[in-house]
PDB file of all heavy atoms in Angstrom:
ATOM      1  N   ALA A 268       0.797  -1.214   0.026  1.00  0.00           N
ATOM      2  CA  ALA A 268       0.000  -0.039  -0.029  1.00  0.00           C
ATOM      3  C   ALA A 268       0.878   1.265   0.013  1.00  0.00           C
ATOM      4  O   ALA A 268       0.506   2.199  -0.683  1.00  0.00           O
ATOM      5  CB  ALA A 268      -0.945   0.009   1.163  1.00  0.00           C
ATOM      6  N   VAL A 269       1.881   1.301   0.876  1.00  0.00           N
ATOM      7  CA  VAL A 269       2.689   2.575   0.912  1.00  0.00           C
ATOM      8  C   VAL A 269       4.156   2.272   0.623  1.00  0.00           C
ATOM      9  O   VAL A 269       4.966   3.204   0.757  1.00  0.00           O
ATOM     10  CB  VAL A 269       2.586   3.155   2.310  1.00  0.00           C
ATOM     11  CG1 VAL A 269       1.142   3.673   2.519  1.00  0.00           C
ATOM     12  CG2 VAL A 269       2.972   2.233   3.406  1.00  0.00           C
ATOM     13  N   ASN A 270       4.470   1.121   0.192  1.00  0.00           N
ATOM     14  CA  ASN A 270       5.861   0.747  -0.254  1.00  0.00           C
ATOM     15  C   ASN A 270       6.827   0.983   0.871  1.00  0.00           C
ATOM     16  O   ASN A 270       7.923   1.531   0.651  1.00  0.00           O
ATOM     17  CB  ASN A 270       6.251   1.483  -1.476  1.00  0.00           C
ATOM     18  CG  ASN A 270       7.422   0.813  -2.198  1.00  0.00           C
ATOM     19  OD1 ASN A 270       7.693  -0.298  -1.980  1.00  0.00           O
ATOM     20  ND2 ASN A 270       8.159   1.613  -3.033  1.00  0.00           N
ATOM     21  N   VAL A 271       6.500   0.605   2.106  1.00  0.00           N
ATOM     22  CA  VAL A 271       7.376   0.684   3.251  1.00  0.00           C
ATOM     23  C   VAL A 271       7.669  -0.727   3.618  1.00  0.00           C
ATOM     24  O   VAL A 271       6.768  -1.583   3.798  1.00  0.00           O
ATOM     25  CB  VAL A 271       6.699   1.420   4.363  1.00  0.00           C
ATOM     26  CG1 VAL A 271       7.580   1.398   5.651  1.00  0.00           C
ATOM     27  CG2 VAL A 271       6.387   2.885   4.000  1.00  0.00           C
ATOM     28  N   PRO A 272       8.958  -1.112   3.826  1.00  0.00           N
ATOM     29  CA  PRO A 272       9.271  -2.448   4.228  1.00  0.00           C
ATOM     30  C   PRO A 272       8.629  -2.909   5.533  1.00  0.00           C
ATOM     31  O   PRO A 272       8.257  -2.050   6.423  1.00  0.00           O
ATOM     32  CB  PRO A 272      10.820  -2.486   4.430  1.00  0.00           C
ATOM     33  CG  PRO A 272      11.272  -1.236   3.636  1.00  0.00           C
ATOM     34  CD  PRO A 272      10.164  -0.308   3.602  1.00  0.00           C
ATOM     35  N   ALA A 273       8.407  -4.172   5.709  1.00  0.00           N
ATOM     36  CA  ALA A 273       7.712  -4.742   6.866  1.00  0.00           C
ATOM     37  C   ALA A 273       8.322  -4.348   8.209  1.00  0.00           C
ATOM     38  O   ALA A 273       7.637  -3.923   9.099  1.00  0.00           O
ATOM     39  CB  ALA A 273       7.610  -6.209   6.745  1.00  0.00           C
ATOM     40  N   ALA A 274       9.579  -4.414   8.318  1.00  0.00           N
ATOM     41  CA  ALA A 274      10.295  -4.042   9.512  1.00  0.00           C
ATOM     42  C   ALA A 274      10.087  -2.547   9.830  1.00  0.00           C
ATOM     43  O   ALA A 274       9.858  -2.125  10.950  1.00  0.00           O
ATOM     44  CB  ALA A 274      11.717  -4.311   9.447  1.00  0.00           C
ATOM     45  N   ALA A 275      10.161  -1.713   8.833  1.00  0.00           N
ATOM     46  CA  ALA A 275      10.007  -0.264   9.028  1.00  0.00           C
ATOM     47  C   ALA A 275       8.619   0.014   9.427  1.00  0.00           C
ATOM     48  O   ALA A 275       8.286   0.949  10.263  1.00  0.00           O
ATOM     49  CB  ALA A 275      10.273   0.514   7.774  1.00  0.00           C
ATOM     50  N   THR A 276       7.556  -0.751   8.938  1.00  0.00           N
ATOM     51  CA  THR A 276       6.156  -0.542   9.344  1.00  0.00           C
ATOM     52  C   THR A 276       6.058  -0.823  10.834  1.00  0.00           C
ATOM     53  O   THR A 276       5.441   0.012  11.559  1.00  0.00           O
ATOM     54  CB  THR A 276       5.219  -1.515   8.550  1.00  0.00           C
ATOM     55  OG1 THR A 276       5.376  -1.232   7.131  1.00  0.00           O
ATOM     56  CG2 THR A 276       3.815  -1.366   8.954  1.00  0.00           C
ATOM     57  N   VAL A 277       6.493  -1.941  11.330  1.00  0.00           N
ATOM     58  CA  VAL A 277       6.377  -2.359  12.695  1.00  0.00           C
ATOM     59  C   VAL A 277       7.083  -1.276  13.582  1.00  0.00           C
ATOM     60  O   VAL A 277       6.549  -0.806  14.614  1.00  0.00           O
ATOM     61  CB  VAL A 277       6.853  -3.768  12.958  1.00  0.00           C
ATOM     62  CG1 VAL A 277       6.895  -4.132  14.408  1.00  0.00           C
ATOM     63  CG2 VAL A 277       6.002  -4.739  12.180  1.00  0.00           C
ATOM     64  N   ILE A 278       8.355  -1.008  13.190  1.00  0.00           N
ATOM     65  CA  ILE A 278       9.148  -0.045  14.048  1.00  0.00           C
ATOM     66  C   ILE A 278       8.529   1.275  14.032  1.00  0.00           C
ATOM     67  O   ILE A 278       8.473   1.968  15.131  1.00  0.00           O
ATOM     68  CB  ILE A 278      10.625  -0.020  13.502  1.00  0.00           C
ATOM     69  CG1 ILE A 278      11.286  -1.410  13.718  1.00  0.00           C
ATOM     70  CG2 ILE A 278      11.416   1.069  14.109  1.00  0.00           C
ATOM     71  CD1 ILE A 278      12.619  -1.556  13.102  1.00  0.00           C
ATOM     72  N   ALA A 279       8.043   1.779  12.856  1.00  0.00           N
ATOM     73  CA  ALA A 279       7.415   3.074  12.842  1.00  0.00           C
ATOM     74  C   ALA A 279       6.205   3.152  13.689  1.00  0.00           C
ATOM     75  O   ALA A 279       5.974   4.157  14.408  1.00  0.00           O
ATOM     76  CB  ALA A 279       7.055   3.480  11.371  1.00  0.00           C
ATOM     77  N   ALA A 280       5.338   2.132  13.649  1.00  0.00           N
ATOM     78  CA  ALA A 280       4.205   2.102  14.481  1.00  0.00           C
ATOM     79  C   ALA A 280       4.508   2.117  15.972  1.00  0.00           C
ATOM     80  O   ALA A 280       3.894   2.808  16.802  1.00  0.00           O
ATOM     81  CB  ALA A 280       3.291   0.918  14.164  1.00  0.00           C
ATOM     82  N   LEU A 281       5.513   1.371  16.365  1.00  0.00           N
ATOM     83  CA  LEU A 281       5.937   1.336  17.785  1.00  0.00           C
ATOM     84  C   LEU A 281       6.539   2.700  18.209  1.00  0.00           C
ATOM     85  O   LEU A 281       6.145   3.181  19.290  1.00  0.00           O
ATOM     86  CB  LEU A 281       6.960   0.202  17.967  1.00  0.00           C
ATOM     87  CG  LEU A 281       6.451  -1.195  17.848  1.00  0.00           C
ATOM     88  CD1 LEU A 281       7.576  -2.208  17.946  1.00  0.00           C
ATOM     89  CD2 LEU A 281       5.435  -1.479  18.893  1.00  0.00           C
ATOM     90  N   PHE A 282       7.373   3.228  17.396  1.00  0.00           N
ATOM     91  CA  PHE A 282       7.917   4.593  17.771  1.00  0.00           C
ATOM     92  C   PHE A 282       6.843   5.630  17.842  1.00  0.00           C
ATOM     93  O   PHE A 282       6.811   6.474  18.687  1.00  0.00           O
ATOM     94  CB  PHE A 282       9.075   4.999  16.787  1.00  0.00           C
ATOM     95  CG  PHE A 282      10.378   4.434  17.130  1.00  0.00           C
ATOM     96  CD1 PHE A 282      11.122   3.757  16.173  1.00  0.00           C
ATOM     97  CD2 PHE A 282      10.907   4.615  18.378  1.00  0.00           C
ATOM     98  CE1 PHE A 282      12.358   3.279  16.493  1.00  0.00           C
ATOM     99  CE2 PHE A 282      12.153   4.104  18.719  1.00  0.00           C
ATOM    100  CZ  PHE A 282      12.865   3.437  17.816  1.00  0.00           C
ATOM    101  N   GLY A 283       5.948   5.592  16.787  1.00  0.00           N
ATOM    102  CA  GLY A 283       4.857   6.582  16.782  1.00  0.00           C
ATOM    103  C   GLY A 283       3.983   6.532  17.978  1.00  0.00           C
ATOM    104  O   GLY A 283       3.664   7.506  18.578  1.00  0.00           O
ATOM    105  N   ALA A 284       3.648   5.316  18.375  1.00  0.00           N
ATOM    106  CA  ALA A 284       2.797   5.119  19.567  1.00  0.00           C
ATOM    107  C   ALA A 284       3.505   5.466  20.829  1.00  0.00           C
ATOM    108  O   ALA A 284       2.978   6.159  21.741  1.00  0.00           O
ATOM    109  CB  ALA A 284       2.343   3.655  19.667  1.00  0.00           C
ATOM    110  N   ALA A 285       4.836   5.209  20.912  1.00  0.00           N
ATOM    111  CA  ALA A 285       5.588   5.554  22.079  1.00  0.00           C
ATOM    112  C   ALA A 285       5.762   7.118  22.263  1.00  0.00           C
ATOM    113  O   ALA A 285       5.673   7.643  23.326  1.00  0.00           O
ATOM    114  CB  ALA A 285       6.980   4.859  22.098  1.00  0.00           C
ATOM    115  N   LEU A 286       5.985   7.778  21.089  1.00  0.00           N
ATOM    116  CA  LEU A 286       6.137   9.221  21.223  1.00  0.00           C
ATOM    117  C   LEU A 286       4.891  10.049  21.308  1.00  0.00           C
ATOM    118  O   LEU A 286       4.890  10.953  22.086  1.00  0.00           O
ATOM    119  CB  LEU A 286       6.983   9.651  19.947  1.00  0.00           C
ATOM    120  CG  LEU A 286       8.405   9.126  19.794  1.00  0.00           C
ATOM    121  CD1 LEU A 286       9.032   9.611  18.486  1.00  0.00           C
ATOM    122  CD2 LEU A 286       9.263   9.673  20.904  1.00  0.00           C
ATOM    123  N   LEU A 287       3.912   9.666  20.534  1.00  0.00           N
ATOM    124  CA  LEU A 287       2.696  10.561  20.472  1.00  0.00           C
ATOM    125  C   LEU A 287       1.416   9.802  20.761  1.00  0.00           C
ATOM    126  O   LEU A 287       0.310  10.309  20.489  1.00  0.00           O
ATOM    127  CB  LEU A 287       2.601  11.224  19.071  1.00  0.00           C
ATOM    128  CG  LEU A 287       3.766  12.145  18.679  1.00  0.00           C
ATOM    129  CD1 LEU A 287       3.661  12.640  17.303  1.00  0.00           C
ATOM    130  CD2 LEU A 287       3.807  13.287  19.672  1.00  0.00           C
ATOM    131  N   GLY A 288       1.484   8.562  21.287  1.00  0.00           N
ATOM    132  CA  GLY A 288       0.207   7.846  21.558  1.00  0.00           C
ATOM    133  C   GLY A 288      -0.525   7.522  20.319  1.00  0.00           C
ATOM    134  O   GLY A 288       0.060   7.105  19.259  1.00  0.00           O
ATOM    135  N   MET A 289      -1.785   7.564  20.366  1.00  0.00           N
ATOM    136  CA  MET A 289      -2.660   7.048  19.305  1.00  0.00           C
ATOM    137  C   MET A 289      -2.493   7.896  18.073  1.00  0.00           C
ATOM    138  O   MET A 289      -2.422   7.403  16.946  1.00  0.00           O
ATOM    139  CB  MET A 289      -4.115   7.089  19.719  1.00  0.00           C
ATOM    140  CG  MET A 289      -5.037   6.561  18.608  1.00  0.00           C
ATOM    141  SD  MET A 289      -6.511   5.814  19.074  1.00  0.00           S
ATOM    142  CE  MET A 289      -6.349   5.219  20.656  1.00  0.00           C
ATOM    143  N   ILE A 290      -2.334   9.216  18.186  1.00  0.00           N
ATOM    144  CA  ILE A 290      -2.024  10.105  17.069  1.00  0.00           C
ATOM    145  C   ILE A 290      -0.694   9.682  16.370  1.00  0.00           C
ATOM    146  O   ILE A 290      -0.610   9.681  15.157  1.00  0.00           O
ATOM    147  CB  ILE A 290      -1.957  11.568  17.498  1.00  0.00           C
ATOM    148  CG1 ILE A 290      -3.341  12.015  18.096  1.00  0.00           C
ATOM    149  CG2 ILE A 290      -1.624  12.442  16.307  1.00  0.00           C
ATOM    150  CD1 ILE A 290      -4.495  11.873  17.168  1.00  0.00           C
ATOM    151  N   GLY A 291       0.352   9.374  17.134  1.00  0.00           N
ATOM    152  CA  GLY A 291       1.568   8.932  16.571  1.00  0.00           C
ATOM    153  C   GLY A 291       1.483   7.656  15.869  1.00  0.00           C
ATOM    154  O   GLY A 291       2.113   7.488  14.840  1.00  0.00           O
ATOM    155  N   ALA A 292       0.687   6.756  16.356  1.00  0.00           N
ATOM    156  CA  ALA A 292       0.455   5.447  15.644  1.00  0.00           C
ATOM    157  C   ALA A 292      -0.258   5.742  14.369  1.00  0.00           C
ATOM    158  O   ALA A 292       0.092   5.041  13.357  1.00  0.00           O
ATOM    159  CB  ALA A 292      -0.296   4.472  16.557  1.00  0.00           C
ATOM    160  N   LEU A 293      -1.203   6.704  14.295  1.00  0.00           N
ATOM    161  CA  LEU A 293      -1.938   6.919  13.073  1.00  0.00           C
ATOM    162  C   LEU A 293      -0.906   7.493  12.015  1.00  0.00           C
ATOM    163  O   LEU A 293      -1.188   7.152  10.794  1.00  0.00           O
ATOM    164  CB  LEU A 293      -3.089   7.950  13.359  1.00  0.00           C
ATOM    165  CG  LEU A 293      -4.294   7.345  14.015  1.00  0.00           C
ATOM    166  CD1 LEU A 293      -5.252   8.522  14.392  1.00  0.00           C
ATOM    167  CD2 LEU A 293      -5.064   6.437  13.043  1.00  0.00           C
ATOM    168  N   ILE A 294      -0.140   8.349  12.360  1.00  0.00           N
ATOM    169  CA  ILE A 294       0.753   8.999  11.436  1.00  0.00           C
ATOM    170  C   ILE A 294       2.123   8.362  11.128  1.00  0.00           C
ATOM    171  O   ILE A 294       2.917   8.801  10.340  1.00  0.00           O
ATOM    172  CB  ILE A 294       0.942  10.509  11.734  1.00  0.00           C
ATOM    173  CG1 ILE A 294       1.706  10.660  13.024  1.00  0.00           C
ATOM    174  CG2 ILE A 294      -0.364  11.213  11.689  1.00  0.00           C
ATOM    175  CD1 ILE A 294       2.050  12.111  13.285  1.00  0.00           C
ATOM    176  N   ALA A 295       2.404   7.256  11.836  1.00  0.00           N
ATOM    177  CA  ALA A 295       3.681   6.699  11.808  1.00  0.00           C
ATOM    178  C   ALA A 295       4.076   6.150  10.526  1.00  0.00           C
ATOM    179  O   ALA A 295       5.192   6.428   9.976  1.00  0.00           O
ATOM    180  CB  ALA A 295       3.845   5.615  12.954  1.00  0.00           C
ATOM    181  N   VAL A 296       3.196   5.317   9.990  1.00  0.00           N
ATOM    182  CA  VAL A 296       3.472   4.600   8.636  1.00  0.00           C
ATOM    183  C   VAL A 296       3.545   5.679   7.497  1.00  0.00           C
ATOM    184  O   VAL A 296       4.578   5.609   6.682  1.00  0.00           O
ATOM    185  CB  VAL A 296       2.575   3.485   8.428  1.00  0.00           C
ATOM    186  CG1 VAL A 296       2.874   2.814   7.068  1.00  0.00           C
ATOM    187  CG2 VAL A 296       2.683   2.370   9.480  1.00  0.00           C
ATOM    188  N   PRO A 297       2.652   6.540   7.389  1.00  0.00           N
ATOM    189  CA  PRO A 297       2.788   7.576   6.326  1.00  0.00           C
ATOM    190  C   PRO A 297       4.105   8.445   6.524  1.00  0.00           C
ATOM    191  O   PRO A 297       4.715   8.809   5.609  1.00  0.00           O
ATOM    192  CB  PRO A 297       1.566   8.467   6.496  1.00  0.00           C
ATOM    193  CG  PRO A 297       0.523   7.590   7.142  1.00  0.00           C
ATOM    194  CD  PRO A 297       1.276   6.721   8.023  1.00  0.00           C
ATOM    195  N   ALA A 298       4.436   8.666   7.786  1.00  0.00           N
ATOM    196  CA  ALA A 298       5.666   9.438   8.037  1.00  0.00           C
ATOM    197  C   ALA A 298       6.858   8.633   7.616  1.00  0.00           C
ATOM    198  O   ALA A 298       7.868   9.242   7.029  1.00  0.00           O
ATOM    199  CB  ALA A 298       5.752   9.836   9.484  1.00  0.00           C
ATOM    200  N   ALA A 299       6.883   7.334   7.907  1.00  0.00           N
ATOM    201  CA  ALA A 299       7.971   6.424   7.450  1.00  0.00           C
ATOM    202  C   ALA A 299       8.119   6.469   5.975  1.00  0.00           C
ATOM    203  O   ALA A 299       9.186   6.406   5.344  1.00  0.00           O
ATOM    204  CB  ALA A 299       7.770   5.040   7.997  1.00  0.00           C
ATOM    205  N   ALA A 300       6.902   6.367   5.303  1.00  0.00           N
ATOM    206  CA  ALA A 300       6.914   6.379   3.785  1.00  0.00           C
ATOM    207  C   ALA A 300       7.448   7.707   3.248  1.00  0.00           C
ATOM    208  O   ALA A 300       8.226   7.736   2.257  1.00  0.00           O
ATOM    209  CB  ALA A 300       5.520   6.175   3.295  1.00  0.00           C
ATOM    210  N   ALA A 301       7.147   8.860   3.971  1.00  0.00           N
ATOM    211  CA  ALA A 301       7.647  10.151   3.551  1.00  0.00           C
ATOM    212  C   ALA A 301       9.123  10.216   3.707  1.00  0.00           C
ATOM    213  O   ALA A 301       9.792  10.751   2.769  1.00  0.00           O
ATOM    214  CB  ALA A 301       6.914  11.193   4.317  1.00  0.00           C
ATOM    215  N   VAL A 302       9.683   9.712   4.829  1.00  0.00           N
ATOM    216  CA  VAL A 302      11.145   9.742   5.082  1.00  0.00           C
ATOM    217  C   VAL A 302      11.813   8.919   4.047  1.00  0.00           C
ATOM    218  O   VAL A 302      12.819   9.290   3.450  1.00  0.00           O
ATOM    219  CB  VAL A 302      11.403   9.241   6.455  1.00  0.00           C
ATOM    220  CG1 VAL A 302      12.858   9.000   6.689  1.00  0.00           C
ATOM    221  CG2 VAL A 302      10.907  10.248   7.472  1.00  0.00           C
ATOM    222  N   GLN A 303      11.225   7.766   3.679  1.00  0.00           N
ATOM    223  CA  GLN A 303      11.809   6.863   2.720  1.00  0.00           C
ATOM    224  C   GLN A 303      11.851   7.536   1.336  1.00  0.00           C
ATOM    225  O   GLN A 303      12.825   7.473   0.523  1.00  0.00           O
ATOM    226  CB  GLN A 303      11.081   5.572   2.636  1.00  0.00           C
ATOM    227  CG  GLN A 303      11.593   4.565   1.635  1.00  0.00           C
ATOM    228  CD  GLN A 303      10.780   3.376   1.545  1.00  0.00           C
ATOM    229  OE1 GLN A 303       9.821   3.105   2.270  1.00  0.00           O
ATOM    230  NE2 GLN A 303      11.182   2.396   0.708  1.00  0.00           N
ATOM    231  N   LEU A 304      10.698   8.223   0.967  1.00  0.00           N
ATOM    232  CA  LEU A 304      10.620   8.898  -0.310  1.00  0.00           C
ATOM    233  C   LEU A 304      11.595   9.987  -0.419  1.00  0.00           C
ATOM    234  O   LEU A 304      12.302  10.169  -1.428  1.00  0.00           O
ATOM    235  CB  LEU A 304       9.180   9.389  -0.565  1.00  0.00           C
ATOM    236  CG  LEU A 304       8.944  10.184  -1.812  1.00  0.00           C
ATOM    237  CD1 LEU A 304       9.041   9.251  -3.005  1.00  0.00           C
ATOM    238  CD2 LEU A 304       7.601  10.830  -1.775  1.00  0.00           C
ATOM    239  N   ILE A 305      11.723  10.839   0.629  1.00  0.00           N
ATOM    240  CA  ILE A 305      12.610  11.986   0.634  1.00  0.00           C
ATOM    241  C   ILE A 305      14.066  11.535   0.528  1.00  0.00           C
ATOM    242  O   ILE A 305      14.861  12.014  -0.216  1.00  0.00           O
ATOM    243  CB  ILE A 305      12.464  12.895   1.869  1.00  0.00           C
ATOM    244  CG1 ILE A 305      11.083  13.580   1.782  1.00  0.00           C
ATOM    245  CG2 ILE A 305      13.609  13.860   2.079  1.00  0.00           C
ATOM    246  CD1 ILE A 305      10.662  14.267   3.152  1.00  0.00           C
ATOM    247  N   SER A 306      14.430  10.452   1.310  1.00  0.00           N
ATOM    248  CA  SER A 306      15.770   9.950   1.222  1.00  0.00           C
ATOM    249  C   SER A 306      16.092   9.397  -0.203  1.00  0.00           C
ATOM    250  O   SER A 306      17.226   9.561  -0.697  1.00  0.00           O
ATOM    251  CB  SER A 306      16.106   8.938   2.286  1.00  0.00           C
ATOM    252  OG  SER A 306      15.228   7.721   2.078  1.00  0.00           O
ATOM    253  N   ARG A 307      15.143   8.689  -0.783  1.00  0.00           N
ATOM    254  CA  ARG A 307      15.379   8.133  -2.149  1.00  0.00           C
ATOM    255  C   ARG A 307      15.399   9.229  -3.200  1.00  0.00           C
ATOM    256  O   ARG A 307      16.226   9.092  -4.090  1.00  0.00           O
ATOM    257  CB  ARG A 307      14.200   7.160  -2.475  1.00  0.00           C
ATOM    258  CG  ARG A 307      14.448   6.328  -3.702  1.00  0.00           C
ATOM    259  CD  ARG A 307      13.381   5.313  -3.982  1.00  0.00           C
ATOM    260  NE  ARG A 307      12.094   5.830  -3.874  1.00  0.00           N
ATOM    261  CZ  ARG A 307      11.055   5.298  -3.226  1.00  0.00           C
ATOM    262  NH1 ARG A 307      11.276   4.290  -2.448  1.00  0.00           N
ATOM    263  NH2 ARG A 307       9.833   5.845  -3.270  1.00  0.00           N
ATOM    264  N   GLU A 308      14.576  10.196  -3.122  1.00  0.00           N
ATOM    265  CA  GLU A 308      14.548  11.253  -4.160  1.00  0.00           C
ATOM    266  C   GLU A 308      15.477  12.430  -3.922  1.00  0.00           C
ATOM    267  O   GLU A 308      15.830  13.161  -4.929  1.00  0.00           O
ATOM    268  CB  GLU A 308      13.116  11.771  -4.279  1.00  0.00           C
ATOM    269  CG  GLU A 308      12.068  10.710  -4.650  1.00  0.00           C
ATOM    270  CD  GLU A 308      12.345  10.079  -6.055  1.00  0.00           C
ATOM    271  OE1 GLU A 308      12.810  10.849  -6.997  1.00  0.00           O
ATOM    272  OE2 GLU A 308      12.092   8.874  -6.204  1.00  0.00           O
ATOM    273  N   VAL A 309      15.874  12.707  -2.724  1.00  0.00           N
ATOM    274  CA  VAL A 309      16.727  13.949  -2.463  1.00  0.00           C
ATOM    275  C   VAL A 309      18.168  13.552  -2.073  1.00  0.00           C
ATOM    276  O   VAL A 309      19.119  13.994  -2.725  1.00  0.00           O
ATOM    277  CB  VAL A 309      16.080  14.849  -1.329  1.00  0.00           C
ATOM    278  CG1 VAL A 309      16.996  15.984  -1.030  1.00  0.00           C
ATOM    279  CG2 VAL A 309      14.721  15.336  -1.856  1.00  0.00           C
ATOM    280  N   PHE A 310      18.265  12.738  -1.081  1.00  0.00           N
ATOM    281  CA  PHE A 310      19.557  12.475  -0.568  1.00  0.00           C
ATOM    282  C   PHE A 310      20.433  11.485  -1.407  1.00  0.00           C
ATOM    283  O   PHE A 310      21.605  11.764  -1.646  1.00  0.00           O
ATOM    284  CB  PHE A 310      19.541  11.883   0.891  1.00  0.00           C
ATOM    285  CG  PHE A 310      18.929  12.876   1.853  1.00  0.00           C
ATOM    286  CD1 PHE A 310      17.852  12.518   2.634  1.00  0.00           C
ATOM    287  CD2 PHE A 310      19.516  14.113   2.034  1.00  0.00           C
ATOM    288  CE1 PHE A 310      17.273  13.404   3.571  1.00  0.00           C
ATOM    289  CE2 PHE A 310      19.003  15.078   2.931  1.00  0.00           C
ATOM    290  CZ  PHE A 310      17.859  14.664   3.688  1.00  0.00           C
ATOM    291  N   LEU A 311      19.842  10.459  -1.892  1.00  0.00           N
ATOM    292  CA  LEU A 311      20.526   9.523  -2.843  1.00  0.00           C
ATOM    293  C   LEU A 311      21.062  10.269  -4.078  1.00  0.00           C
ATOM    294  O   LEU A 311      22.193  10.019  -4.492  1.00  0.00           O
ATOM    295  CB  LEU A 311      19.819   8.299  -3.046  1.00  0.00           C
ATOM    296  CG  LEU A 311      19.590   7.378  -1.823  1.00  0.00           C
ATOM    297  CD1 LEU A 311      18.703   6.157  -2.268  1.00  0.00           C
ATOM    298  CD2 LEU A 311      20.866   6.906  -1.257  1.00  0.00           C
ATOM    299  N   PRO A 312      20.253  11.023  -4.796  1.00  0.00           N
ATOM    300  CA  PRO A 312      20.736  11.680  -5.947  1.00  0.00           C
ATOM    301  C   PRO A 312      21.894  12.698  -5.646  1.00  0.00           C
ATOM    302  O   PRO A 312      22.795  12.798  -6.481  1.00  0.00           O
ATOM    303  CB  PRO A 312      19.527  12.442  -6.544  1.00  0.00           C
ATOM    304  CG  PRO A 312      18.411  11.713  -6.019  1.00  0.00           C
ATOM    305  CD  PRO A 312      18.771  11.182  -4.674  1.00  0.00           C
ATOM    306  N   ARG A 313      21.821  13.275  -4.485  1.00  0.00           N
ATOM    307  CA  ARG A 313      22.911  14.255  -4.159  1.00  0.00           C
ATOM    308  C   ARG A 313      24.217  13.441  -3.858  1.00  0.00           C
ATOM    309  O   ARG A 313      25.241  13.866  -4.172  1.00  0.00           O
ATOM    310  CB  ARG A 313      22.548  15.051  -2.914  1.00  0.00           C
ATOM    311  CG  ARG A 313      21.560  16.117  -3.144  1.00  0.00           C
ATOM    312  CD  ARG A 313      21.440  16.970  -1.873  1.00  0.00           C
ATOM    313  NE  ARG A 313      20.412  18.011  -2.105  1.00  0.00           N
ATOM    314  CZ  ARG A 313      19.945  18.808  -1.166  1.00  0.00           C
ATOM    315  NH1 ARG A 313      20.393  18.679   0.044  1.00  0.00           N
ATOM    316  NH2 ARG A 313      19.116  19.727  -1.461  1.00  0.00           N
TER     317      ARG A 313
END
């Protein structure tokens, strides 16, 4: 669905819940997908 590896999905959900509770868990996987996209499109080409 969001092209985020399985381990990153689980880790992102755990970190999001630990940091921001339910709101953090809701935004954790999209945030991980955004970080992955930015690193692939911005940092790797540089």
Side-chain angles (χ1 to χ4, degrees):
V269 292
N270 199 19
V271 175
T276 300
V277 173
I278 292 169
L281 291 174
F282 275 128
L286 293 174
L287 299 172
M289 185 153 329
I290 300 297
L293 282 170
I294 63 172
V296 176
V302 168
Q303 181 182 358
L304 178 66
I305 290 169
S306 66
R307 185 175 56 231
E308 298 296 325
V309 175
F310 295 124
L311 292 179
R313 283 187 183 175

